[in-house]
Amino acid sequence: IQPCCCGSNDSIKKKRLCAGEKMEAPPVTVMPVTGGTINMMEYLLQGSVLDQSLESLLHRLRGLCDNMEPESFIDHELVYLLKGQQGNPFILRARRSLSHPTSPWHLRYLGQPEVGDKSRHALVRNCVDVAASHSLPEFLNEMGFRMDHEFVANGHIFRKGAMKIVVSKLSRILVPGNTDNTERLSLSYLVELSVLAPAGQDTVSEDMRSFAEQLKPLVHLEKIDPSKQRH
């Protein structure tokens, strides 16, 4: 379990954030989380594959990855914003498993992507991921966050060493909070190749590029700048 990004504060409500630990949460800050062992970077490549090509991609991944059969998942993700007086809003992502409802929630912070270095073959951004209790949505609302959008993701997870390959179908929720009433966003699956590593381990992007080459022409995984994409 990664260390929790919690500091000292005497607010009882904030103690709910950490799952299984009686630790207190800090005030929300708009600064990137750095320092200590939680200063991890996410290296990411993304692409998509049409529905009719899904089975071919899964067959290829079964042959390339460590686990012959992938992990299946159905998750509900809520994206929260905290708008300041100026600048971009602070964004947190809360995700829960619909297939394992008793599992802890996950709270995720993703920093601004470092896209300027063209020698890197993957997008790089600061990442903090912590387990949280089921009261996470209430906690975020009390902290001043407001939910911007929510969706359901279902698919498969493959692993190859430190690399994680997620193939998922995204569906929008038609009635807020009702995960049984959804509509698929597209006729394709999102494919994400990622590695979580300490800052400075840029050599992992070479391994990712080599692995991505083996998935062509089924899927083309690229370094995509999220700031150029719309929600």
Side-chain angles (χ1 to χ4, degrees):
I1 300 175
Q2 296 185 36
C4 181
C5 58
C6 295
S8 60
N9 192 299
D10 56 4
S11 171
I12 297 178
K13 293 179 181 178
K14 296 178 183 177
K15 294 181 180 179
R16 304 174 189 166
L17 178 61
C18 299
E21 296 181 38
K22 295 183 178 179
M23 298 179 67
E24 300 176 354
V28 171
T29 172
V30 296
M31 297 297 292
V33 181
T34 58
T37 58
I38 63 171
N39 186 21
M40 302 293 284
M41 307 301 290
E42 181 187 53
Y43 295 76
L44 179 69
L45 292 174
Q46 293 176 302
S48 63
V49 61
L50 292 173
D51 290 356
Q52 57 263 34
S53 301
L54 174 65
E55 287 305 319
S56 296
L57 176 62
L58 296 181
H59 180 74
R60 177 75 61 84
L61 288 171
R62 288 187 182 97
L64 294 174
C65 295
D66 298 333
N67 50 325
M68 292 299 294
E69 288 302 319
E71 307 168 34
S72 298
F73 69 92
I74 306 176
D75 288 350
H76 175 209
E77 182 163 312
L78 304 92
V79 180
Y80 287 87
L81 304 182
L82 181 61
K83 296 182 179 180
Q85 295 182 350
Q86 58 184 2
N88 295 325
F90 187 70
I91 303 174
L92 290 177
R93 298 174 177 272
R95 179 175 285 220
R96 67 185 178 111
S97 172
L98 296 178
S99 52
H100 300 89
T102 59
S103 297
W105 282 65
H106 279 266
L107 178 64
R108 203 167 197 230
Y109 163 78
L110 296 173
Q112 292 297 317
E114 301 175 5
V115 295
D117 189 348
K118 294 183 179 181
S119 65
R120 288 173 171 168
H121 301 291
L123 179 141
V124 183
R125 57 189 176 185
N126 185 247
C127 177
V128 179
D129 193 336
V130 295
S133 69
H134 288 211
S135 60
L136 178 59
E138 291 82 0
F139 166 79
L140 292 175
N141 286 327
E142 291 170 359
M143 290 290 291
F145 284 84
R146 292 296 176 264
M147 188 184 71
D148 182 68
H149 61 279
E150 58 182 335
F151 60 90
V152 171
N154 69 287
H156 312 282
I157 301 175
F158 292 85
R159 299 184 189 277
K160 176 68 173 179
M163 292 184 287
K164 180 172 72 172
I165 304 93
V166 179
V167 183
S168 60
K169 170 71 73 173
L170 303 183
S171 302
R172 68 186 184 97
I173 294 178
L174 300 177
V175 179
N178 185 356
T179 55
D180 294 324
N181 191 359
T182 63
E183 179 182 72
R184 293 186 174 184
L185 288 174
S186 70
L187 299 177
S188 61
Y189 280 77
L190 175 66
V191 184
E192 296 180 300
L193 170 61
S194 64
V195 173
L196 198 61
Q201 302 294 316
D202 290 347
T203 55
V204 301
S205 65
E206 284 286 349
D207 296 332
M208 294 172 66
R209 185 182 68 162
S210 298
F211 186 85
E213 287 293 325
Q214 299 180 71
L215 297 179
K216 292 179 179 179
L218 291 172
V219 60
H220 293 265
L221 298 176
E222 300 175 322
K223 176 181 177 180
I224 297 175
D225 184 356
S227 64
K228 296 180 181 179
Q229 296 176 300
R230 299 178 63 182
H231 287 302

